[in-house]
């Protein structure tokens, strides 16, 4: 995917999507509508076969799209979104990026790194209270120069408006990035990622039957869904719900659908938007709620580390991989199928809670 020089705004060049499929249902595409972006990541990210995990589970062939290797401050899925969001902020004349998340937010860590790269101030509104000693992602936020604000029980950006107003009163020009970077422009990062995946599958002669990933704030899910729609992608696209229950406001599936429709309007306006039946959201694996590490997550972390040398994070990818492992054990995929798991990063959070990942273990 062509990009401009590092540190400069660039565009995804080319026209609208042109799609056809061969007999293996592997899409062939041209680039999406031109949208400004600020280069932050190392793309394309690798597409790996997890042969030892596949053999261990005795089910379908498992591929992994390695967005834990996007390169920005330990990488992760938010780098793709931030390339578009930072470009928009710079075009608006902003001098500050403002966003929100949990204390161990991967999105906040990558936003702080993106701000540093772009020469912008970063303010983060974090759930909880300031700890005595920062660890994990929070340590990285501090190292990256972010200005931290604490929101108590709120972690979804409920107080962003007040922080933005205070920054403006102080003479700053903040660009407010929603929780998870999950706006239509942010989701464009995963619309673009679907093209990247399609080209990798085509060049590698691979065919897949399903795509699985962690679904939380909705932007990654919406972008993948919109991209799959534009590509006429044959594989099932399923998000594993990370949170228990619904956040305040519209139902989560409705939010994903609305985001996907808006993403289509800015990326491929000539292609019909997805319908409600296209939003596949599996809620069976949310456990005891957001950030609560249970046996399923621990097993997933251990298996990937010890069979593939790949680290999962305890909140998102461990839950989604745990879901895939459970689905394979239940016979929901056959040995003849191929499943792609999209690793969205976040393993830095392992260092914040070793007791949750290895409870009661004394071996070193």
């Amino acid at each position: 995917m062509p990009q401009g020089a590092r540190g400069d705004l660039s565009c995804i060049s080319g026209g609208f999507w042109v799609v056809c499929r061969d007999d293996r249902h592997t899409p062939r595409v041209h680039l999406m509508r031109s949208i400004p972006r600020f280069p932050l990541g190392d793309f394309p990210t690798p597409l790996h076969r997890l042969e030892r995990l596949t053999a261990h589970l005795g089910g379908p062939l498992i591929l992994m799209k390695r967005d834990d290797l996007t390169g920005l401050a330990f990488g992760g899925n938010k780098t793709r979104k931030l390339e578009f969001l930072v470009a928009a902020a710079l075009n608006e004349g902003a001098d500050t990026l403002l966003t929100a998340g949990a204390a161990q937010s991967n999105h906040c860590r990558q936003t702080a790194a993106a701000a540093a790269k772009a020469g912008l101030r970063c303010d983060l509104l974090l759930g909880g209270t300031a700890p005595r000693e920062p660890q994990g992602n929070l340590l990285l936020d501090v190292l990256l120069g972010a200005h931290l604000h604490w929101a108590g029980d709120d972690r979804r950006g409920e107080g962003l408006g007040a922080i933005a107003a205070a920054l403006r009163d102080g003479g700053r020009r903040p660009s407010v990035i929603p929780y998870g970077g999950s706006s239509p422009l942010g989701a464009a990062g995963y619309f673009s990622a679907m093209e990247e995946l399609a080209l990798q599958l085509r060049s590698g002669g691979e065919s897949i039957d399903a795509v699985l990933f962690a679904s939380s704030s909705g932007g990654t899910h919406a972008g993948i869904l919109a991209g799959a729609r534009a590509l006429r992608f044959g594989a099932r696209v399923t998000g594993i719900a990370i949170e228990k229950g619904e956040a305040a406001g519209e139902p989560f599936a409705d939010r994903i659908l609305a985001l996907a429709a808006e993403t289509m309007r800015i990326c491929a306006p000539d292609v019909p938007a997805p319908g409600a039946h296209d939003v596949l959201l599996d809620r069976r694996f949310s456990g005891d709620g957001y950030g609560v590490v249970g046996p399923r997550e621990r097993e997933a972390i251990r298996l990937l580390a010890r069979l593939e040398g790949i680290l999962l994070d305890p909140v998102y990818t461990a839950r989604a991989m745990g879901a895939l492992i459970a689905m394979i054990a239940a016979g929901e995929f056959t040995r003849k199928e191929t499943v792609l798991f999209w690793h969205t990063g976040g393993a830095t959070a392992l260092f914040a809670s070793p007791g949750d990942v290895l409870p009661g273990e004394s071996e070193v």
Side-chain angles (χ1 to χ4, degrees), residues 116-171:
K117 178 77 172 173
L120 301 172
R121 170 178 164 135
C122 180
D123 284 72
L124 302 176
L125 180 60
L126 303 175
T129 57
R132 265 193 279 180
E133 183 177 77
Q135 296 179 328
N137 281 325
L138 186 57
L139 171 63
L140 299 178
D141 295 339
V142 174
L143 287 174
L144 292 163
H147 299 258
L148 308 183
H149 311 263
W150 294 94
D153 292 336
D154 297 330
R155 62 175 172 83
R156 288 181 160 267
E158 292 86 346
L160 281 174
I163 301 290
L167 287 168
R168 292 188 190 101
D169 288 345

Side-chain angles (χ1 to χ4, degrees), residues 24-45:
R24 291 173 61 82
H25 304 288
T26 303
R28 299 176 181 177
V29 303
H30 295 300
L31 297 171
M32 72 181 192
R33 187 178 185 178
S34 180
I35 301 173
R37 70 192 298 177
F38 184 83
L40 293 168
D42 298 324
F43 301 117
T45 56

Side-chain angles (χ1 to χ4, degrees), residues 104 132 153 162 170 218-219 221 224 226 273 323 362:
Q104 288 297 324
R132 265 193 279 180
D153 292 336
H221 195 155
I224 290 175
S362 59

Side-chain angles (χ1 to χ4, degrees), residues 17-211:
W17 293 75
V18 179
V19 183
C20 64
R21 293 187 298 172
D22 60 20
D23 291 337
R24 291 173 61 82
H25 304 288
T26 303
R28 299 176 181 177
V29 303
H30 295 300
L31 297 171
M32 72 181 192
R33 187 178 185 178
S34 180
I35 301 173
R37 70 192 298 177
F38 184 83
L40 293 168
D42 298 324
F43 301 117
T45 56
L47 180 62
H48 288 161
R49 283 183 169 226
L50 305 189
E51 294 181 349
R52 295 196 69 224
L53 181 66
T54 296
H56 178 81
L57 297 176
L61 172 64
I62 302 172
L63 306 181
M64 179 177 279
K65 181 66 169 147
R66 298 294 304 275
D67 275 13
D68 55 321
L69 302 179
T70 55
L72 180 69
F74 289 101
N77 62 324
K78 307 305 181 181
T79 301
R80 292 189 186 271
K81 301 179 182 183
L82 286 162
E83 290 204 329
F84 294 95
L85 294 166
V86 171
L90 291 172
N91 283 336
E92 294 164 2
D95 63 6
T96 302
L97 299 183
L98 169 62
T99 196
Q104 288 297 324
S105 167
N106 300 308
H107 165 64
C108 288
R109 182 238 315 156
Q110 289 168 86
T111 301
K117 178 77 172 173
L120 301 172
R121 170 178 164 135
C122 180
D123 284 72
L124 302 176
L125 180 60
L126 303 175
T129 57
R132 265 193 279 180
E133 183 177 77
Q135 296 179 328
N137 281 325
L138 186 57
L139 171 63
L140 299 178
D141 295 339
V142 174
L143 287 174
L144 292 163
H147 299 258
L148 308 183
H149 311 263
W150 294 94
D153 292 336
D154 297 330
R155 62 175 172 83
R156 288 181 160 267
E158 292 86 346
L160 281 174
I163 301 290
L167 287 168
R168 292 188 190 101
D169 288 345
R172 308 297 303 188
R173 300 184 303 279
S175 177
V176 180
I177 296 175
Y179 177 75
S182 292
S183 66
L185 189 58
Y190 271 85
F191 190 103
S192 170
M194 284 299 289
E195 179 216 28
E196 177 182 301
L197 172 63
L199 293 174
Q200 287 177 308
L201 292 172
R202 178 187 173 190
S203 65
E206 298 279 10
S207 177
I208 60 175
D209 300 285
V211 181

